[in-house]
Amino acid sequence: MLTEIINSSLQQQLIVLIIAALPVVELRGAIPVAMDIFHMPWYQSLILSLIGNLMPVPFLLLFYNVITRTLSRVKIGKIFIEWLSQRSTRQARILEKYKHIGIILFTAIPFPGTGAWTASIVTHFLGISFKNALLDIIIGVIGAGVIVTVLVLLGWIGAGIAGVGIIALAILHFRRRRH
């Protein structure tokens, strides 16, 4: 019985780490899964998600050129790399003005298309050193983890707060574009 509990717990922890390491989903998906589906305590959910979300970052920062060259050899990989490069170039232009604080906030604000993966790629386009990029992304991931954990702990109230925040930012974004 004890081995079943340990094995089950280890499997759940591994699942949380993997979800947090995935692009797009990252810890925004891992923390709710850990807390709501696996019923892990908030601190365990947060720690596992932070570790999982940060696992790919050093590799992305160090081996971006090798990864993109390798993926570009396959047609679908080339399409994906071109899409990702165009998207990241747009993000880099926006963040270039704010550099480090921009990368931290970009990573910390838990919206689709932001996070450790995209920030790792954007830092490449901005020419930020490995050490500075890693530090900025770590700070941002911790911020995102705290935000998502608090929102999940608040339940429906947290979902409402997140929804209002997303709507407010969308309105501001569209108003800016019109002017």
Side-chain angles (χ1 to χ4, degrees):
M1 171 119 166
L2 182 60
T3 51
E4 288 176 18
I5 293 171
I6 292 171
N7 288 340
S8 172
S9 176
L10 289 175
Q11 288 172 350
Q12 291 173 352
Q13 291 172 4
L14 184 60
I15 290 168
V16 171
L17 285 169
I18 291 169
I19 292 171
L22 291 173
V24 182
V25 180
E26 299 187 27
L27 59 68
R28 295 158 190 80
I31 291 171
V33 167
M35 291 174 68
D36 292 340
I37 295 174
F38 296 144
H39 307 291
M40 290 181 189
W42 69 267
Y43 52 87
Q44 182 181 14
S45 303
L46 177 59
I47 291 168
L48 286 171
S49 296
L50 290 172
I51 292 168
N53 201 181
L54 290 169
M55 283 190 313
V57 172
F59 299 103
L60 290 168
L61 293 173
L62 290 171
F63 303 113
Y64 175 77
N65 290 329
V66 174
I67 294 167
T68 56
R69 268 196 314 271
T70 305
L71 287 176
S72 293
R73 292 180 184 156
V74 181
K75 185 177 180 180
I76 193 154
K78 186 175 183 173
I79 292 168
F80 174 72
I81 294 301
E82 287 173 3
W83 171 81
L84 190 61
S85 293
Q86 289 173 356
R87 190 171 180 290
S88 298
T89 303
R90 283 194 306 265
Q91 300 290 354
R93 277 190 238 123
I94 295 166
L95 294 173
E96 191 168 23
K97 179 179 177 183
Y98 303 104
K99 287 271 184 182
H100 300 292
I101 194 71
I103 296 296
I104 292 168
L105 291 174
F106 180 79
T107 308
I109 297 173
F111 289 133
T114 65
W117 278 78
T118 309
S120 296
I121 295 164
V122 168
T123 59
H124 170 77
F125 289 108
L126 293 175
I128 297 175
S129 71
F130 173 83
K131 181 178 139 187
N132 289 332
L134 185 62
L135 181 61
D136 294 346
I137 293 168
I138 288 171
I139 294 168
V141 166
I142 291 169
V146 169
I147 291 168
V148 172
T149 300
V150 168
L151 292 175
V152 172
L153 285 170
L154 291 173
W156 284 105
I157 294 170
I161 292 168
V164 168
I166 290 170
I167 291 168
L169 285 173
I171 290 169
L172 286 172
H173 176 73
F174 289 119
R175 288 183 83 194
R176 264 194 183 153
R177 283 193 149 189
R178 291 175 74 197
H179 291 85

